[in-house]
Amino acid sequence: MTEELHIGVLMFIAHRAAEKRILEALHRAGFTEITMAQARLGARIGPNGTRLNELAEQAQVAKQTATFLVDQLEKAGYAERVPDPTDGRARLVQITEFGKDLLPIARAEEARIDADWTAHIGVRRMKQLREALTMLREITDPY
């Protein structure tokens, strides 16, 4: 008898597949130097910037790891550190204009993923999946 996989593992498998497709789309578009770790952290940068410690917390990595990844994103021109207008001692990490060029590519691949998954499981199940995951977010996403 095959043991049924835990729902968390099933969600992780689907998430990992989506991440891989988005990163591959970025690479095909010429953004070949961005890594999965950089993309994961970069995706957490808010529209008005995010403090480094918040990025580390959201990505569940050490502050040193987040610092290293932001350094790499800066060197590649995707992100920059700027003064926090609400606290002169703090700095925010922001996406640069060049970094924003990745967004339409990622969003287009997300739409293709949604279409593929909908074609596979059907419109009704995809709607139910989205509703269920949105409800779970209420108790799982502190951000």
Side-chain angles (χ1 to χ4, degrees):
M1 180 167 150
T2 304
E3 186 176 329
E4 193 173 83
L5 291 175
H6 183 269
I7 190 73
V9 173
L10 294 171
M11 288 188 293
F12 174 73
I13 292 167
H15 172 75
R16 184 179 58 191
E19 273 188 327
K20 184 175 185 277
R21 281 186 55 176
I22 293 165
L23 188 64
E24 288 171 350
L26 293 173
H27 287 175
R28 282 192 307 275
F31 299 99
T32 56
E33 66 286 340
I34 194 161
T35 68
M36 184 67 77
Q38 292 167 356
R40 284 177 182 150
L41 191 80
R44 298 178 186 289
I45 299 171
N48 298 315
T50 306
R51 290 185 182 182
L52 188 67
N53 62 332
E54 292 171 5
L55 288 175
E57 182 182 330
Q58 288 181 34
Q60 297 183 350
V61 299
K63 188 175 177 192
Q64 294 84 353
T65 300
T67 298
F68 175 76
L69 293 171
V70 169
D71 288 346
Q72 289 180 318
L73 289 168
E74 274 190 309
K75 286 178 188 167
Y78 297 122
E80 63 186 345
R81 289 177 175 97
V82 298
D84 183 338
T86 65
D87 181 350
R89 300 167 295 158
R91 303 199 39 89
L92 296 174
V93 179
Q94 287 186 330
I95 300 291
T96 63
E97 289 304 313
F98 177 65
K100 290 177 184 176
D101 291 345
L102 280 73
L103 295 176
I105 298 159
R107 296 300 171 257
E109 190 60 29
E110 288 170 350
R112 285 188 286 276
I113 292 166
D114 281 359
D116 290 348
W117 291 6
T118 300
H120 184 71
I121 68 171
V123 172
R124 182 179 59 80
R125 283 190 173 148
M126 191 66 166
K127 182 179 181 207
Q128 289 172 334
L129 176 62
R130 180 175 300 281
E131 288 171 353
L133 291 173
T134 299
M135 288 174 65
L136 278 175
R137 188 173 179 198
E138 295 170 7
I139 62 168
T140 60
D141 185 5
Y143 310 107

